[in-house]
Amino acid sequence: MRKNIVAGNWKMNKNLQEGIELAKELQAALNGKTVKCDVVICTPFIHLASVNAVIDGKTVRLGAENCADKVSGAYTGEVSAAMLASTGAQYVILGHSERRAYYGETNAILKEKVKLALENNLIPIFCIGEVLEEREAGKQNEVVKTQIEESLFDLSTEDFGKIVLAYEPVWAIGTGKTATPAQAQEIHAYIRSILAAKYGQAVANDTSILYGGSANAGNAKELFSNPDVDGGLIGGAALKVETFLPIVEAF
Ligand code: 13P
């Protein structure tokens, strides 16, 4: 079943105490409220267990921002998918453009991460998206297709059905420049068509495809009103309840 999801990506922000406070405030703000989407907060690794203790895992769900591409062992500084699952995390963002650009994550590495996340019952929020030069050259469809094919298309239909996609045009991330609702709808529909060609229309229809990139209270409603936009992956605006809640309530 396709779900509407609004997920916050805290990135490398907030110390532990600030993170716990934000999670508590968000949980309190949503208690007793009916919202029309699942709400997820994806936090730095060190926050996960403590944040999990102050949310209910239903009204507010927990996710991580990355995981290792190895099972376990001598990989100093890495955090495995199994470790994430043991904190109570239900989701993990994989393939964020910042990981691809600054930490050399390739489609091949991401394929391993997706596999390990799924083996540990984590739901990958798999990010795809083009950089500005690619958009200007009209190559955005080609770019997202390759990202999806090379990291995800070896999955069984059953496993693919567990994936959440997030289309995040790199030129829109943290820039205040949002894709127009029409641009978002156009590429989301294209992405769904690729999924349909590979896994069938039913699987494609059931896949949540989120938009990310300078989404905020002012543009969320219009973005989410598109038939192929199933929610948002929110950076800056996820760092305060007063900016995140209106996005959740835009559905
Ligand atoms: P901003 O909402 O800050 O543009 O970040 C988007 C993003 O990268 C979410 O993963």
Side-chain angles (χ1 to χ4, degrees), residues 130 168-179 211-215:
E130 79 287 355
E168 298 206 307
V170 180
W171 47 270
I173 296 177
T175 57
K177 240 194 237 175
T178 321
Y211 167 81
S214 298

Side-chain angles (χ1 to χ4, degrees), residues 7-11 93 96-98 127 166 168-170 172-177 211-216 232-239 247:
N9 174 8
W10 290 4
K11 307 193 180 184
I93 296 172
H96 193 281
S97 61
E98 289 148 16
C127 303
E168 298 206 307
V170 180
I173 296 177
T175 57
K177 240 194 237 175
Y211 167 81
S214 298
N216 59 41
L233 184 55
I234 316 300
L239 296 175
I247 303 176

Side-chain angles (χ1 to χ4, degrees), residues 2 145 148-149 153 157 160 165 187-207 209 228:
R2 194 192 310 186
K145 184 165 191 256
I148 292 172
E149 280 176 349
F153 273 7
T157 304
F160 187 86
L165 288 176
I187 194 156
H188 281 228
Y190 170 72
I191 292 164
R192 206 176 299 284
S193 78
I194 315 174
L195 309 187
K198 170 76 179 172
Y199 290 105
Q201 195 63 52
V203 171
N205 287 347
D206 280 353
T207 304
I209 309 176
D228 288 299

